[in-house]
Amino acid sequence: MLTLLIVLPVIGALLMPLLPERSLRSVALVSAGVTFALSLWMLTQFDVQQTALQFREFVPWLSPLGLNYSLGVDGLSLPLIVLGTFLTLVVVFTGEKSAHRLFYALVLLANAGVTGALAAQNLLLFVLFYELELVPFYLLILIWGGQRREQAAIKFLIYTAVSGILVLAAFLGMGWLTHAPSFDYQDIQIGGLAPTTQGILLLLLILGFGIKMPLVPLHSWLPDAYVEASTPTAILLGGVLAKLGTYGLVRFALGYFPEAWGQFSSLFAIMAAVGITYGALAAIAQKDIKRMVAYSSIGHMSYVLLAAAAHTHLSMVGAIAQMISHGLILALLFYLVGVIEAKVGTRELNVLNGLLNPLRGLPTTSALLILGGMASAGIPGLVGFVAEFLIFQGSYGTFPIPTLIAVVGTGLTAVYFVILINRTCFGRLDNATAYYPRVVWSEKMPAIVLTLLILFLGVQPTWLVRWSETTSAQIVAAIPSATEIVASLPQ
């Protein structure tokens, strides 16, 4: 089944050069839709009580190199795969104006690469998929980006290539130093390595996955890439690609190095507090609403680091929920910003006003933007509140001060979204620029679907967290508690 999730988008991509222009979007929709439906079916068949990997697939490949085709999912990876296939379907649906065969092919290939990385249970196979998705995203930014797309694409390529090199170096070190028979996840046991060696390998993983998330100060590629990318590409970058960084942080850095992670957990909590504060303050300072949303992503990804630093059961459930929540909310916000730019012709806060006007503005878009801002700010009843509350509740007992700073960061999130909403949605329209083109139902539909999901998961959080509870408990069970580690340190 997991192979089908990878192969179906690849088949769709390979068909693109052979199809007439009028069939491109339909075939891409079928490919993305069937892939999403299959991932959703797997979610319904997933046994939430089982701790072992499910839907396992194993085929020996290059055994002398330790590379095997080994796939499997658990409560950490499967929800992220479903999120990725869903947002890919949204992007294909919204890409009608970019109806170019290469556009659809790259989107489908990017989805296949991300799915393969999330399902891979061999470290070299993970790196292979981790690097393969780099090329489609680079081309999506370079070809369909804004005026500074070349600079943004090259910056993205360099940073993410360095990320892959660091991760590969850590994985090779783990395999060679432990003399493992292969690079399969279960074959590598790092318990016998010296603490210093474990610390170095953990540092490589933190840097590698920290670039992908990204963490401060490894984030400088993100604003340019998100802002210059087209709306569909920005949705994939923030909603799908960034999750490989948080996934790798939890799966490999925290999962493989429990002792070393515990030793540095206080530092990680401080880094998370800095990232949350920096992301919020940077967003407040922006005049471009797309750049504001991009900077907000830095802060929201740091919540995952805070949860992982505390590594309690509750905080880890919240971390996985935050990955899903962030993907949905960011996709909604980027989509709405794209609609506003397409209809009004600008993203500048100093120019936009009065879009909530029911006759001459963009009332539906503005109303959904208000709800998206509320979700990002963690208002109760929306999915953002569920994830952040779990993280705060699970992290406070271990790191009270960083958690309180994160709570303040949530308040700052409300500040910059109030600024955004106040300046774009309210006020009087300029008579010289009204009337704006109407937003048709096909343009509203993706935003409405995303909004309904944000509302549903906010009032029914069980559907968000039930898949990851057992996996979170298993991850936490292997790691010494942060309080025990801190207590054992020399005073």
Side-chain angles (χ1 to χ4, degrees):
M1 286 296 180
L2 289 172
T3 298
L4 276 178
L5 289 180
I6 300 170
V7 170
L8 285 174
V10 173
I11 293 175
L14 293 177
L15 288 175
M16 289 298 117
L18 308 177
L19 297 171
E21 198 76 21
R22 65 180 182 275
S23 303
L24 294 176
R25 184 167 181 263
S26 298
V27 173
L29 276 173
V30 170
S31 178
V34 172
T35 305
F36 170 62
L38 180 59
S39 69
L40 204 59
W41 177 84
M42 292 177 67
L43 193 67
T44 63
Q45 301 302 307
F46 184 77
D47 184 356
V48 296
Q49 301 300 324
Q50 185 174 331
T51 59
L53 290 171
Q54 300 180 44
F55 305 104
R56 287 297 309 269
E57 298 180 23
F58 181 86
V59 178
W61 191 4
L62 299 175
S63 298
L65 297 179
L67 174 59
N68 297 309
Y69 184 77
S70 178
L71 303 179
V73 292
D74 58 7
L76 170 61
S77 52
L78 184 56
L80 294 176
I81 289 175
V82 176
L83 173 69
T85 57
F86 170 67
L87 292 184
T88 299
L89 179 60
V90 171
V91 163
V92 170
F93 183 84
T94 60
E96 183 175 6
K97 293 183 179 180
S98 302
H100 189 283
R101 59 187 76 248
L102 181 60
F103 171 83
Y104 291 124
L106 293 174
V107 168
L108 293 172
L109 288 175
N111 175 235
V114 172
T115 300
L118 292 171
Q121 296 302 316
N122 179 282
L123 302 191
L124 295 185
L125 185 65
F126 172 86
V127 172
L128 182 62
F129 283 117
Y130 191 79
E131 292 294 272
L132 282 177
E133 46 76 24
L134 207 168
V135 176
F137 279 106
Y138 167 74
L139 292 175
L140 285 169
I141 298 171
L142 182 66
I143 298 174
W144 286 278
Q147 293 182 349
R148 299 175 62 247
R149 59 184 180 272
E150 293 183 5
Q151 178 182 344
I154 292 174
K155 199 171 185 179
F156 165 81
L157 183 66
I158 293 173
Y159 269 79
T160 50
V162 171
S163 169
I165 292 171
L166 292 170
V167 172
L168 177 60
F171 286 171
L172 290 176
M174 290 160 60
W176 292 341
L177 293 173
T178 59
H179 306 287
S182 76
F183 283 93
D184 289 348
Y185 186 87
Q186 69 276 9
D187 285 345
I188 297 179
Q189 305 294 328
I190 55 87
L193 296 180
T196 302
T197 303
Q198 291 192 34
I200 294 173
L201 293 173
L202 176 61
L203 176 62
L204 290 174
L205 291 178
I206 293 294
L207 291 174
F209 292 124
I211 291 173
K212 205 79 160 188
M213 288 177 59
L215 296 177
V216 177
L218 308 172
H219 67 285
S220 61
W221 66 269
L222 180 144
D224 291 337
Y226 283 25
V227 171
E228 295 303 322
S230 64
T231 296
T233 306
I235 291 174
L236 289 178
L237 282 171
V240 179
L241 183 66
K243 305 307 174 289
L244 284 182
T246 53
Y247 169 81
L249 193 76
V250 174
R251 172 73 74 202
F252 302 110
L254 191 153
Y256 267 124
F257 301 96
E259 296 288 344
W261 183 274
Q263 293 285 350
F264 293 104
S265 58
S266 297
L267 174 61
F268 297 151
I270 294 171
M271 290 174 59
V274 170
I276 292 167
T277 305
Y278 171 83
L281 293 177
I284 291 174
Q286 302 308 310
K287 301 300 182 183
D288 182 323
I289 58 176
K290 192 174 184 181
R291 188 172 289 271
M292 180 181 286
V293 174
Y295 272 106
S296 75
S297 178
I298 296 173
H300 284 91
M301 284 290 90
S302 295
Y303 286 111
V304 178
L305 180 61
L306 174 63
H311 51 261
T312 65
H313 181 210
L314 201 59
S315 72
M316 292 310 301
V317 172
I320 299 173
Q322 175 69 2
M323 297 181 207
I324 306 300
S325 165
H326 175 264
L328 295 174
I329 295 171
L330 196 71
L332 174 64
L333 292 174
F334 272 138
Y335 182 79
L336 294 174
V337 169
V339 171
I340 291 172
E341 183 180 14
K343 301 300 180 181
V344 182
T346 183
R347 302 191 307 254
E348 294 297 321
L349 281 176
N350 295 332
V351 177
L352 294 166
N353 57 17
L355 297 184
L356 199 57
N357 186 301
L359 297 178
R360 296 185 294 141
L362 307 174
T364 303
T365 300
S366 299
L368 295 177
L369 182 65
I370 293 172
L371 189 139
M374 293 169 63
S376 186
I379 299 300
L382 302 173
V383 69
F385 171 78
V386 175
E388 290 178 9
F389 180 79
L390 288 172
I391 292 174
F392 297 155
Q393 188 76 7
S395 302
Y396 179 78
T398 307
F399 297 116
I401 294 178
T403 302
L404 289 175
I405 294 174
V407 173
V408 173
T410 300
L412 292 175
T413 301
V415 169
Y416 60 75
F417 274 111
V418 166
I419 293 173
L420 186 154
I421 292 167
N422 184 55
R423 295 187 183 179
T424 58
C425 299
F426 298 100
R428 298 182 61 181
L429 279 173
D430 185 353
N431 290 328
T433 59
Y435 297 81
Y436 296 130
R438 309 308 298 174
V439 182
V440 298
W441 271 106
S442 62
E443 295 172 316
K444 295 177 183 178
M445 189 58 62
I448 291 174
V449 172
L450 286 165
T451 301
L452 290 176
L453 274 173
I454 290 170
L455 286 168
F456 175 76
L457 295 176
V459 298
Q460 291 289 345
T462 302
W463 286 86
L464 178 65
V465 303
R466 66 190 299 262
W467 319 103
S468 59
E469 289 179 336
T470 301
T471 299
S472 298
Q474 185 182 22
I475 293 172
V476 171
I479 307 169
S481 69
T483 51
E484 292 175 357
I485 293 294
V486 172
S488 67
L489 295 176
Q491 300 299 319

